[in-house]
Amino acid sequence: MRELLKKFENRQPEIVFEWSDSETEAEGWLVIDSLRGGAAGGDTRMKKGLEKKEVIQLAKNTAIKYTISGPPIGGAKAGINFDPHDPRKDAVLDRWFKVVSPILKSYFGTSAGIHIHENKELIPHTENYGLWHPQEGVVNGHYKSKEPQKIRKIGQLRQGLAKIIENPDYYPAGASKYRVSDMITGFGLAAAVKHYYKLWGGSPKGKKAIIQGWGNVGAAAAYFLAKEGVQIVGILSLEGAIIDQNGLNESDITQLFLSKEKNKLASEKRIPFEEGNEKIWNLSADLFIPAAKSRLVDKEKLEKLMAGGVKLIVSGANFPFAENDIFMGPVSTLADDNLSLIPDFIANVGISRLAAYLMSEKVVFTDEALFQDVSQTIYKALKKCHQMHPEKNQIAQTGLEIALEQLA
């Protein structure tokens, strides 16, 4: 596996498109690791301080993810180094999508990443430059759809990604107008926990969990975990932390979910970030869900989690561990060798799998069909890992080996 991994990491991306904005300091990169299957996919994000190296790493991670979620295409990522809170953001995005629209039309499909709003920014800007949908490049490049088929697939993408959840099993009571795409990635993390215990033994009920991050992914994961009987003992977000060693139940988490303020943690029980960041890593817990930014969990934090009893980590963040390696650096290897580590390319496939399903031939537009397709995809990936390596450790390395063999 290490030889395959080294070869994959060192392989140069097939396409690196570089852009410097003519009117601001913004710069951007569109990295296509490969055009496997005639197309590539990955989100578009904006972040101050973003570097080309990070975009290349994320494109390679997306390539691995597509071996799980489908369709069988190459990995890609688009990133813009610019302050997303700058009032010139919209104009920067307009100029960016103007220059990349021919690629988006031909063989690159994208979605809304960090600091990009799908309905308010991504879709309006891509439509301005003649795209029927941000995933049109996959429809054209991979499926090579003729006009009637193309119209149907684009219509399915539009309908499914914008679908409002109707089934109360998939959103908190009291919430309104949540889309499937808002909840499905967090749902996938909770499904990974559920399937882990089914395959490796045990039950999520009564387990204690720590959640890092309270955006769409972290909050939804906490909600679905609480529905399975998991007690949330700690939540850490940039706004602060909530710590309750007795565990927050489904009712408590639902209330926290509904009280979010622009995807930020809001509660009278919230303590300052500095205090929470000192305390949360020393909590007693069974599982840990990193669902915040990349590269935040260092060796010291990991060792504290292990000392507190954590046996399972399910990654909601891309590259949650603080290390320079793209895959399986010293911190993630330490976790994988000593714990059960479900990597992000298995657990965090919700949106990728949803898009793949919506481009398939037989789509059922019910909440149950859309959510359970993601659940089954994650289950199949974990089952392959279990069949190849039934021990509770080295799940990430096993999953990576399976994926690399497909790409090789």
Side-chain angles (χ1 to χ4, degrees):
M1 192 277 289
R2 289 289 175 180
E3 185 176 340
L4 277 174
L5 179 58
K6 184 177 180 180
K7 184 177 179 181
F8 176 67
E9 289 184 334
N10 291 336
R11 187 186 72 195
Q12 291 298 310
E14 286 190 22
I15 298 171
V16 179
F17 176 89
E18 299 195 41
W19 172 77
S20 294
D21 188 23
S22 59
E23 299 186 27
T24 71
E25 66 276 18
E27 56 183 347
W29 303 271
L30 168 53
V31 176
I32 293 177
D33 183 63
S34 82
L35 285 171
R36 182 175 77 116
D43 68 45
T44 298
R45 58 185 55 198
M46 178 181 282
K47 187 177 75 170
K48 187 176 181 179
L50 185 69
E51 298 179 349
K52 181 171 72 172
K53 177 183 176 182
E54 182 180 348
V55 183
I56 291 173
Q57 292 178 340
L58 289 165
K60 288 188 177 294
N61 190 57
T62 305
I64 299 291
K65 184 180 291 188
Y66 277 125
T67 68
I68 307 296
S69 71
I73 60 174
K77 194 70 68 170
I80 303 169
N81 174 21
F82 191 70
D83 183 355
H85 304 293
D86 191 300
R88 300 171 294 172
K89 175 187 179 183
D90 193 65
V92 168
L93 287 174
D94 183 72
R95 291 187 290 273
W96 166 261
F97 284 112
K98 181 179 181 178
V99 298
V100 300
S101 59
I103 303 174
L104 279 164
K105 193 82 172 176
S106 302
Y107 49 79
F108 170 53
T110 196
S111 58
I114 296 171
H115 299 308
I116 305 288
H117 194 284
E118 182 174 346
N119 290 325
K120 295 179 181 179
E121 295 172 328
L122 177 63
I123 290 177
H125 282 296
T126 52
E127 285 182 344
N128 282 346
Y129 292 104
L131 270 84
W132 292 4
H133 191 273
Q135 293 286 340
E136 187 175 345
V138 177
V139 176
N140 289 329
H142 174 66
Y143 292 101
K144 303 185 186 305
S145 303
K146 298 185 182 299
E147 200 74 2
Q149 186 188 33
K150 176 178 176 178
I151 292 171
R152 177 172 56 79
K153 288 184 183 295
I154 294 294
Q156 289 172 180
L157 282 164
R158 285 178 173 269
Q159 182 179 348
L161 290 169
K163 186 184 184 305
I164 301 299
I165 301 172
E166 301 167 273
N167 188 329
D169 289 340
Y170 299 105
Y171 70 98
S176 61
K177 294 187 177 181
Y178 270 90
R179 297 177 301 171
V180 172
S181 56
D182 293 327
M183 301 292 291
I184 204 160
T185 302
F187 169 83
L189 299 183
V193 172
K194 181 179 178 180
H195 297 323
Y196 166 81
Y197 285 113
K198 180 178 180 179
L199 289 164
W200 276 273
S203 168
K205 188 174 182 180
K207 296 294 190 297
K208 294 183 177 182
I210 297 170
I211 310 289
Q212 182 189 32
W214 197 247
N216 273 349
V217 177
Y223 168 72
F224 286 113
L225 285 171
K227 283 174 67 71
E228 294 292 331
V230 174
Q231 300 172 334
I232 312 300
V233 296
I235 301 168
L236 179 66
S237 186
L238 286 175
E239 303 78 50
I242 295 176
I243 293 175
D244 187 331
Q245 190 62 70
N246 293 322
L248 302 171
N249 59 27
E250 181 180 353
S251 176
D252 299 324
I253 293 297
T254 297
Q255 186 56 46
L256 279 176
F257 189 103
L258 297 176
S259 64
K260 282 194 298 180
E261 297 176 354
K262 295 182 179 180
N263 264 0
K264 294 181 179 180
L265 182 64
S267 171
E268 292 180 354
K269 296 181 179 179
R270 190 182 72 191
I271 61 177
F273 173 82
E274 292 76 13
E275 181 183 353
N277 194 37
E278 284 290 323
K279 293 180 177 179
I280 204 160
W281 307 104
N282 296 303
L283 291 175
S284 175
D286 303 286
L287 60 108
F288 171 56
I289 310 290
K293 294 181 181 179
S294 302
R295 314 293 190 189
L296 291 180
V297 184
D298 58 23
K299 182 182 178 183
E300 181 182 1
K301 291 183 175 68
L302 174 62
E303 289 176 339
K304 287 181 178 180
L305 290 170
M306 293 165 61
V310 167
K311 296 291 190 294
L312 171 63
I313 297 177
V314 178
S315 300
N318 293 319
F319 312 127
F321 298 104
E323 54 197 7
N324 293 322
D325 303 71
I326 303 178
F327 302 100
M328 302 313 303
V331 185
S332 53
T333 299
L334 177 65
D336 196 41
D337 284 344
N338 292 278
L339 307 171
S340 296
L341 171 63
I342 301 180
D344 64 287
F345 60 80
I346 292 178
N348 184 9
V349 298
I351 288 293
S352 297
R353 180 57 207 170
L354 176 61
Y357 177 74
L358 293 171
M359 286 185 277
S360 66
E361 295 301 315
K362 296 181 180 180
V363 178
V364 178
F365 286 100
T366 64
D367 297 328
E368 183 176 14
L370 299 176
F371 279 92
Q372 291 309 311
D373 175 75
V374 168
S375 178
Q376 284 302 306
T377 298
I378 293 170
Y379 176 74
K380 289 175 183 177
L382 288 175
K383 186 176 181 180
K384 286 181 181 179
C385 293
H386 184 265
Q387 289 171 336
M388 185 171 173
H389 184 81
E391 287 79 10
K392 289 185 176 182
N393 69 335
Q394 298 187 345
I395 297 172
Q397 293 176 63
T398 303
L400 190 56
E401 182 176 354
I402 293 169
L404 289 170
E405 287 176 350
Q406 291 183 54
L407 294 176

